[in-house]
Amino acid sequence: MPRVEPIPSQRHLFEVPADVAYLDAAAWSPLPRAVRAAGEAGILVKSQPWTFPRTAIPALAERTRAAAARLIGAGIDDVAIVGSVSHAMAIAARNLAPAPGGRLLRVADEFPSLRYAFDRLAEAHALVVEEVARPADGDWTAALLAAIRRPTAKPLAVATLTPLHWTDGGRIDLDRLAPAVRDTGAALVIDATQAVGAMPVDVARWRPDFLAFPTYKWALGPYGVAFLYAAPGRQDGVPIEEHTGNRSPAAGARRYDRGELNDPVALSMAAAGLDLIAGWGVPAVAARLRDLTDRLAEGVAGLGLAVAPEPLRAGHILGARLPGGLPENLVDRLQEANVFVSERSGALRLSPHVWADAEDVARCVSALGHLLGRGAGDRTDAQGREFPGRARANADAVPDPAPR
């Protein structure tokens, strides 16, 4: 497969200052200028409603729905607009009816929105919840395949999976796992929160029963807007919310739409963010993020932190660990150096997006080295090569990572 060229840094489209290394897109992303402008235009619609026809808002909802559908390879009728991924997962769980006595499969330390609704489903249908433990070798895919195919196990009824582990970016290869789940006849539910916008997602290839994602992380949109894909055979179910907008003759997955759907602020912002991602192309975005996380991996490994081998990690989230655990308040101390990251389940989670550049990598590695007492102020990578400085005459003059 030919290598996809990464897009250049898009920092000029954001309001991220030159001296801030914001590597926390997996928590929430800053808004691009265009998305902020779209929200401000939507506020004007709501603040002066007599100047704008309300009949235009349903068309905006459909534009947003179509943009979300294109990003995951779905048809527009297969996507509902909901308020959050937890909302979407509650809908999915409500509309599954597994045979009693089977298994519900997921990974250990899963995010709550992919647990709570399905814990209730398991209790209602006498399912055994099997959580696959974090594998010692970091190979989630192999561990999950073994669990799916274990001959002595109860029948698999439902698998709730993600394309990567949210805590540290450990890769969960759904290209291999989705067919294995389907071969058992089990339902497949995918939480793509940490995937859509940063890596290719294709419902035609994975064929889930349900898949959901929000806009406030990798899709560069606001809080309060998320999308639920429902496979054609899952579109005649029961919604969580009952209102005139999702009753007959609502087509396809629209029956799961949230109430108060026609918000000119949130819809405008979500559509603007989705359009940006589509314009760049997800493969080109993914290639840029892989370049950045590879550089981060090389830099932090040189400081003695452990990272997963490249084949076992997603290209946009890097988890780094120390054998004895991370120092107390490390994330807060990094923020004092204008480096913004997260700690999740003992891992330092580094997650750049399209605004990040080589100087952000350098700032992060240098600050970590200083705080860990390993090469304080050092500005070279593990091979002794100097990190580039940020020669930025203005917000639009942004250097790019050198070709690898």
Side-chain angles (χ1 to χ4, degrees):
M1 183 178 295
R3 182 178 186 272
V4 175
E5 286 299 315
I7 63 169
S9 171
Q10 301 297 308
R11 200 182 193 95
H12 59 288
L13 301 182
F14 293 81
E15 300 175 69
V16 183
D19 62 347
V20 167
Y22 190 84
L23 305 174
D24 208 12
W28 60 341
S29 69
L31 293 175
R33 298 175 194 272
V35 175
R36 175 180 169 178
E40 290 168 347
I43 290 172
L44 187 60
V45 171
K46 188 66 170 65
S47 63
Q48 299 179 7
W50 55 89
T51 64
F52 298 89
R54 290 181 62 189
T55 54
I57 307 302
L60 175 59
E62 292 306 298
R63 174 194 158 200
T64 308
R65 192 190 311 272
R70 283 193 297 270
L71 209 53
I72 60 173
I76 187 172
D77 292 341
D78 300 331
V79 173
I81 301 175
V82 295
S84 64
V85 168
S86 60
H87 182 180
M89 290 299 139
I91 293 170
R94 181 169 184 172
N95 288 284
L96 295 177
R103 282 186 298 157
L104 190 154
L105 186 71
R106 64 188 179 214
V107 299
D109 198 16
E110 186 54 274
F111 197 75
S113 64
L114 196 54
R115 295 202 323 263
Y116 293 159
F118 293 97
D119 286 348
R120 190 181 299 276
L121 177 74
E123 183 178 1
H125 293 270
L127 303 180
V128 174
V129 176
E130 179 178 347
E131 294 191 346
V132 175
R134 182 178 294 277
D137 62 359
D139 193 342
W140 281 109
T141 305
L144 283 162
L145 281 172
I148 292 167
R149 295 169 175 167
R150 192 169 67 253
T152 58
K154 292 178 180 294
L156 187 63
V158 181
T160 57
L161 299 176
T162 63
L164 63 153
H165 203 286
W166 69 281
T167 61
D168 60 4
R171 186 180 180 206
I172 298 172
D173 188 354
L174 293 183
D175 286 343
R176 295 172 62 193
L177 291 167
V181 171
R182 290 198 304 270
D183 286 347
T184 71
L188 174 60
V189 179
I190 297 173
D191 179 349
T193 295
Q194 296 289 8
V196 175
M199 61 178 285
V201 171
D202 186 357
V203 295
R205 188 169 71 247
W206 294 342
R207 292 167 52 196
D209 294 83
F210 296 97
L211 178 147
F213 69 97
T215 67
Y216 73 97
K217 294 181 187 282
W218 301 99
L220 304 177
Y223 264 123
V225 180
F227 302 97
L228 172 66
Y229 164 83
R234 296 291 187 181
Q235 294 174 4
D236 59 352
V238 180
I240 294 295
E241 300 181 51
E242 301 281 0
H243 51 84
T244 57
N246 66 359
R247 302 186 80 81
S248 181
R254 290 175 183 82
R255 74 166 52 245
Y256 302 126
D257 277 354
R258 73 181 190 191
E260 299 182 9
L261 176 64
N262 294 322
D263 175 0
V265 182
L267 290 174
S268 296
M269 296 173 75
L274 293 167
D275 287 347
L276 281 173
I277 296 290
W280 297 320
V282 172
V285 171
R288 174 171 189 81
L289 303 186
R290 169 62 76 180
D291 280 352
L292 290 167
T293 56
D294 283 353
R295 288 171 173 272
L296 284 163
E298 184 178 39
V300 302
L303 300 175
L305 284 86
V307 298
E310 187 272 340
L312 298 182
R313 65 175 191 261
H316 54 289
I317 297 178
L318 178 71
R321 290 181 165 85
L322 282 172
L326 298 175
E328 188 175 356
N329 299 323
L330 179 61
V331 169
D332 293 337
R333 296 171 69 193
L334 284 169
Q335 287 185 12
E336 294 171 0
N338 274 351
V339 176
F340 294 83
V341 298
S342 288
E343 181 181 347
R344 295 291 186 269
S345 298
L348 191 68
R349 190 179 69 180
L350 313 173
S351 51
H353 208 337
V354 294
W355 59 79
D357 59 24
E359 178 64 10
D360 294 322
V361 174
R363 180 182 289 273
C364 177
V365 174
S366 178
L368 268 174
H370 176 78
L371 292 173
L372 297 176
R374 302 174 186 183
D378 189 8
R379 296 186 62 78
T380 59
D381 64 18
Q383 275 65 52
R385 299 174 303 199
E386 185 175 353
F387 285 110
R390 178 175 290 150
R392 188 173 293 166
N394 56 59
D396 295 336
V398 185
D400 217 49
R404 291 188 62 79

